[in-house]
Amino acid sequence: MTVYLFTAFPDNMLFIIGGRNNTSSGNIDTASVDRYDPLRDEWRPVKHLSVPRNRLGVAAIDGFIYAIGGGNGNSCHTSVERYDPKQDEWMSVMPLNFPRIGIYISF
């Protein structure tokens, strides 16, 4: 079971980003990202985050997706990544001033 994953909707696509996979053998945070195309009714993996993130903040702004903070195991991230769906690439942008986990984004 995957928990603490987040979604974004640029260009009428649904993106499932990061999260935690809970299994009987343990909990593993993930860097995976999947995209759903409702016109084709299909899921496909896209470029992974640079680090596993669970309980991250996600925002879609001007066609880009931002993955903000979150955690991996016992550590919290200050890093922020921006995804370009047209290029299928994540790039690092200005980090947070301090680590954050369980972030909710509003704009």
Side-chain angles (χ1 to χ4, degrees):
M1 171 174 61
T2 302
V3 295
Y4 302 123
L5 54 83
F6 289 85
T7 59
F9 302 92
D11 299 324
N12 297 314
M13 301 283 183
L14 171 66
F15 289 81
I16 305 297
I17 302 165
R20 173 175 282 174
N21 296 317
N22 294 335
T23 68
S24 59
S25 59
N27 302 328
I28 301 169
D29 296 329
T30 182
S32 68
V33 182
D34 294 291
R35 183 187 79 188
Y36 177 69
D37 182 341
L39 295 177
R40 294 187 175 147
D41 193 29
E42 71 180 11
W43 285 97
R44 79 172 186 89
V46 297
K47 183 82 171 193
H48 285 198
L49 296 160
S50 68
V51 295
R53 295 178 190 267
N54 107 62
R55 294 184 278 168
L56 67 154
V58 171
I61 303 170
D62 294 333
F64 295 101
I65 300 171
Y66 291 82
I68 304 162
N72 180 19
N74 292 327
S75 65
C76 295
H77 299 301
T78 58
S79 60
V80 178
E81 299 180 64
R82 182 178 72 197
Y83 178 72
D84 182 344
K86 292 178 176 40
Q87 300 296 317
D88 190 29
E89 290 292 331
W90 288 96
M91 72 177 295
S92 294
V93 295
M94 180 65 70
L96 300 168
N97 291 327
F98 52 90
R100 293 205 176 185
I101 194 167
I103 301 170
Y104 292 91
I105 306 296
S106 176
F107 56 95

